Amino acid sequence: MVLDRVALLEQIGERHEAGQIRLSATTAYSGAWNDSGRHRLVVLVGRADRILSNHDRPHGWTLRRRAAGAR
């Protein structure tokens, strides 16, 4: 699951974040397979999902037309 998200991050150009998450996931996979390790992996999936969902949103200012006042 985590590595699938890492691949998606790389596809959208978020290589730095993908690398950090991959490193943290590798550390978690190498550690104990208990509730704490599972929690770390779930947190990493959530972090990747937040980045992926923010990528779909427009960034910066958007121009809006101001309503014309009554004359």
Side-chain angles (χ1 to χ4, degrees):
M1 242 169 47
V2 177
L3 297 180
D4 293 335
R5 300 305 198 291
V6 168
L8 291 172
L9 288 171
E10 289 177 339
Q11 287 176 3
I12 65 169
E14 293 287 345
R15 294 191 182 279
H16 179 74
E17 289 293 333
Q20 287 186 335
I21 292 172
R22 181 186 297 111
L23 179 63
S24 297
T26 302
T27 303
Y29 281 127
S30 299
W33 285 81
N34 56 18
D35 286 338
S36 175
R38 181 183 177 283
H39 176 73
R40 284 188 296 205
L41 294 173
V42 168
V43 168
L44 291 172
V45 169
R47 178 176 163 192
D49 284 344
R50 278 191 303 280
I51 296 166
L52 290 166
S53 68
N54 285 336
H55 181 74
D56 294 336
R57 294 184 193 160
H59 297 286
W61 294 91
T62 58
L63 296 176
R64 294 185 187 180
R65 296 185 98 177
R66 230 192 300 185
R71 293 185 183 199

